[in-house]
Amino acid sequence: MSAQKNESFRWLNDEEQAAWRAYLTASARLQQQLDRDLQQNSGMPHAYYMILAMLSEAPDRGMRMTDLAELLSSSPSRLSHAIRKLVELDWIRKDADADDGRVTWACLTDEGMRVLVEAAPGHVTTVVESLFDRLTPTQVAQLREISTAMLQD
Amino acid sequence: MSAQKNESFRWLNDEEQAAWRAYLTASARLQQQLDRDLQQNSGMPHAYYMILAMLSEAPDRGMRMTDLAELLSSSPSRLSHAIRKLVELDWIRKDADADDGRVTWACLTDEGMRVLVEAAPGHVTTVVESLFDRLTPTQVAQLREISTAMLQD
DNA sequence: GCGATTCTCTTGAATGTTCAACTAATTTGC
DNA sequence: GCAAATTAGTTGAACATTCAAGAGAATCGC
């Protein structure tokens, strides 16, 4: 209040307000759906699935921790804790870098790949049913553009 | 993979794949921005801000727990834990319902209202800068329609 | 070369969320 | 009326994430 009294201050207009409410609800529901579904069917949260998925597409199924964190929009700490758990499960292996002693590589194990391959169809079905089956192709393109715009800078 | 071999199975096409990646990154970044910002400036996560915000708009600044949970897309348990913390902070008070002994009302205290009013301008600024300043009015309308479509059923 | 800085990653504590189990109150079916 | 089912909310344990602090390795500046 005090900060807003004496400064010109941009509030949300009605259209923005409606969009914001709808977005918050929709994204919260989708996130919960993804997490619940993966937890039930594959015993891991969505964040862990994404780690496996990103590694599976990387050369030799391995990435440097920092690059992986950046790709996943994860903090280094969050990734470090997650990788520790995934190593315990034998889904991921940590390798030292040959050139740079600071760098650790996270690598998908065969077991991790197996788990991912088993989890993927159910997960994708959830994504399709919760999101893409509800949108027109035009809306899918719009969603990509909007999301890209949000990532400017 | 194996599960997908013998069943007709809808995967994501290229456009959906691109939209999905962009959406995941954008929504994760936005959520982190909102949480970090509110934690820094007001000492609470976004979920707690939303509790205060929803109550502030309700008649007499109070809602039944179940209704509040539904409005926030929160589990009863999550809301219960959160309200306990907010009661400790004296930002919220819990009242018994006169007619139904199962029902609890969560009510915003004057102190809670004060905190919300102080937090709001900074928070809205974050929302505007992170989201609405990056979208055209057309995209704002599209975002609302897409979010609404995601909530069908 | 070598101290200061930066970079990469980890750690432990504090916090928030989920899940399953539970209590208590109300409503339903008969 | 009353047992069974439903509804509202809580609890504690397990788990995930954040945050601040820090360790170790490479790089920068001079």
Side-chain angles (χ1 to χ4, degrees), chain B:
Chain B
M1 198 201 307
S2 54
Q4 149 189 22
K5 263 184 198 147
N6 298 322
E7 304 167 24
S8 104
F9 176 74
R10 163 126 147 64
W11 200 257
L12 302 185
N13 63 39
D14 287 353
E15 187 63 29
E16 288 170 339
Q17 186 75 245
W20 182 232
R21 295 284 167 103
Y23 168 79
L24 282 179
T25 302
S27 60
R29 298 256 156 118
L30 178 56
Q31 189 59 58
Q32 286 161 8
Q33 185 69 34
L34 296 176
D35 267 325
R36 183 156 12 93
D37 177 69
L38 272 166
Q39 196 69 56
Q40 289 265 328
N41 298 332
S42 311
M44 64 182 138
H46 183 237
Y48 288 24
Y49 176 90
M50 288 304 294
I51 294 174
L52 303 185
M54 291 304 99
L55 287 179
S56 76
E57 297 177 1
D60 296 323
R61 293 179 186 163
M63 289 185 73
R64 300 162 58 156
M65 295 284 285
T66 297
D67 295 342
L68 184 52
E70 166 62 22
L71 189 61
L72 294 167
S73 304
S74 169
S75 69
S77 170
R78 181 192 188 193
L79 182 61
S80 189
H81 285 301
I83 294 289
R84 185 174 47 72
K85 295 252 178 184
L86 293 170
V87 167
E88 277 173 22
L89 290 167
D90 265 321
W91 295 355
I92 280 183
R93 167 177 33 86
K94 291 209 281 191
D95 291 348
D97 186 271
D99 297 337
D100 190 330
R102 295 168 300 183
V103 169
T104 304
W105 289 75
C107 301
L108 195 59
T109 63
D110 290 345
E111 173 68 4
M113 188 67 194
R114 204 188 57 69
V115 169
L116 174 64
V117 163
E118 192 170 318
H123 171 62
V124 174
T125 297
T126 302
V127 174
V128 166
E129 290 177 354
S130 302
L131 183 61
F132 291 111
D133 275 358
R134 302 171 184 226
L135 303 183
T136 65
T138 301
Q139 285 178 315
V140 173
Q142 290 168 354
L143 178 60
R144 182 166 66 78
E145 280 156 23
I146 289 167
S147 300
T148 303
M150 287 168 66
L151 293 169
Q152 282 161 356
D153 302 328

